[in-house]
């Protein structure tokens, strides 16, 4: 190995180690969802009605910021990857680009446990969706300066600054998740349920809000 190659490899390693020390943005205070005054929505038709009630405030508006309010569960995954010459490696084996790392600006997937907040020119749409076909929603009720962690940078390339043109709901009529008798909701095959929620932007990209069906919210950018 030449002196130049040795220096370049060591510089790359030092930069990688430095990047791993960058702190993930976190809320100042943990948000208590149990105390949140929000509308609970269990059926697709009711979710459509809710979005219809707020469309005049957000359709045609640019999305300025995106916040999460609880825990980011994949925040340390980047520690297992190395980046060299435009390629990703894990244990010296080439792999696909990871879903998340602290300086990512696109194609990001966040794994969360509490409301996400989309700021459309001052109208902040708040959605908690971590159980299958069960959403809580409100607008402008959460103080993002205290409870919000701004993760806009992860969606900077294709989402932030784009105008919202539509909201679509992927409906399902099969019970694909844990049931909810404990909170008084009975589910049966053939019922009016939903899975993914898509926020579609003028450039053809969309934010997909969904769940792992029983515990976590999944927020990702989809082309």
């Amino acid at each position: 190995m030449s002196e130049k190659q040795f220096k370049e490899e060591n510089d790359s390693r030092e930069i990688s180690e430095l990047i791993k020390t960058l702190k993930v943005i976190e809320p100042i205070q943990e948000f208590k969802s149990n105390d949140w005054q929000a509308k609970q929505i269990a059926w697709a038709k009711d979710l459509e009605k809710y979005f219809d009630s707020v469309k005049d405030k957000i359709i045609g508006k640019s999305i300025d910021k995106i916040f999460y309010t609880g825990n980011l569960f994949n925040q340390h995954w980047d520690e297992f990857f190395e980046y060299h010459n435009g390629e990703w490696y894990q244990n010296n084996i080439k792999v696909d680009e990871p879903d998340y790392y602290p300086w990512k600006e696109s194609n990001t997937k966040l794994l969360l446990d509490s409301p996400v907040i989309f700021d459309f020119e001052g109208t902040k749409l708040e959605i908690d969706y971590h159980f299958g076909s069960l959403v809580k929603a409100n607008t402008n009720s959460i103080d993002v300066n205290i409870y919000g962690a701004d993760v806009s940078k992860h969606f900077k390339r294709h989402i932030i600054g784009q105008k919202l043109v539509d909201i679509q709901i992927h409906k399902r009529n099969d019970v694909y998740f844990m049931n909810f008798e404990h909170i008084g909701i009975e589910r049966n095959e053939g019922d009016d349920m939903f899975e993914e929620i898509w926020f579609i932007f003028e450039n053809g990209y969309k934010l997909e809000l969904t769940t792992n069906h029983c515990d976590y919210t999944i927020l990702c950018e989809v082309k």
Side-chain angles (χ1 to χ4, degrees):
M1 180 185 294
S2 70
E3 182 178 346
K4 180 180 178 182
Q5 288 174 319
F6 179 81
K7 183 178 186 304
E8 286 177 349
E9 185 166 320
N10 277 274
D11 286 347
S12 175
R13 187 177 298 113
E14 287 177 8
I15 291 170
S16 295
E17 292 302 316
L18 175 63
I19 287 174
K20 289 178 183 179
T21 68
L22 297 177
K23 182 174 175 57
V24 174
I25 296 173
E26 297 176 340
I28 294 174
Q29 256 179 254
E30 181 182 358
F31 182 71
K32 304 294 186 182
S33 295
N34 291 339
D35 300 329
W36 184 36
Q37 298 299 310
K39 184 177 180 62
Q40 181 171 281
I41 305 168
W43 308 108
K45 66 179 185 300
D46 293 329
L47 187 57
E48 287 177 329
K49 288 179 181 177
Y50 179 79
F51 286 138
D52 284 342
S53 74
V54 299
K55 274 186 175 180
D56 63 322
K57 299 177 182 177
I58 61 178
I59 295 294
K61 304 293 186 180
S62 298
I63 185 166
D64 296 328
K65 292 184 178 181
I66 299 172
F67 302 87
Y68 76 91
T69 57
N71 295 301
L72 176 59
F73 286 95
N74 53 340
Q75 65 173 284
H76 298 302
W77 288 5
D78 59 287
E79 295 177 4
F80 302 103
F81 297 93
E82 298 289 341
Y83 184 71
H84 303 292
N85 300 320
E87 303 290 352
W88 290 93
Y89 295 86
Q90 187 173 24
N91 297 323
N92 296 318
I93 299 172
K94 185 177 175 180
V95 295
D96 292 334
E97 182 181 68
D99 291 331
Y100 173 83
Y101 48 94
W103 60 100
K104 196 170 190 180
E105 292 187 352
S106 64
N107 196 31
T108 299
K109 180 187 290 183
L110 304 181
L111 192 65
L112 311 164
D113 69 344
S114 56
V116 297
I117 302 172
F118 304 139
D119 186 345
F120 295 99
E121 298 183 30
T123 297
K124 296 179 179 64
L125 179 64
E126 307 152 351
I127 303 179
D128 190 13
Y129 185 23
H130 57 273
F131 294 124
S133 194
L134 184 63
V135 157
K136 287 185 176 181
N138 205 343
T139 57
N140 294 352
S141 68
I142 300 173
D143 187 342
V144 294
N145 294 314
I146 298 175
Y147 302 109
D150 186 349
V151 288
S152 304
K153 65 179 182 180
H154 300 305
F155 303 92
K156 180 180 178 180
R157 192 171 300 169
H158 302 302
I159 301 295
I160 297 301
Q162 293 293 320
K163 289 183 179 179
L164 183 70
V165 296
D166 197 14
I167 304 172
Q168 295 180 1
I169 301 167
H170 176 211
K171 297 183 180 182
R172 293 186 64 161
N173 60 9
D174 58 317
V175 181
Y176 65 96
F177 44 76
M178 63 181 288
N179 223 321
F180 298 110
E181 291 94 341
H182 63 292
I183 57 173
I185 301 174
E186 183 179 348
R187 307 286 198 172
N188 297 289
E189 298 295 316
D191 282 347
D192 176 45
M193 296 171 284
F194 57 88
E195 191 171 11
E196 294 93 357
I197 303 168
W198 293 301
F199 296 86
I200 301 172
F201 295 90
E202 59 182 341
N203 63 352
Y205 282 83
K206 60 187 177 184
L207 284 176
E208 179 180 276
L209 189 62
T210 188
T211 168
N212 70 340
H213 308 157
C214 63
D215 206 7
Y216 298 117
T217 296
I218 300 171
L219 174 64
C220 55
E221 171 190 307
V222 179
K223 188 173 182 179

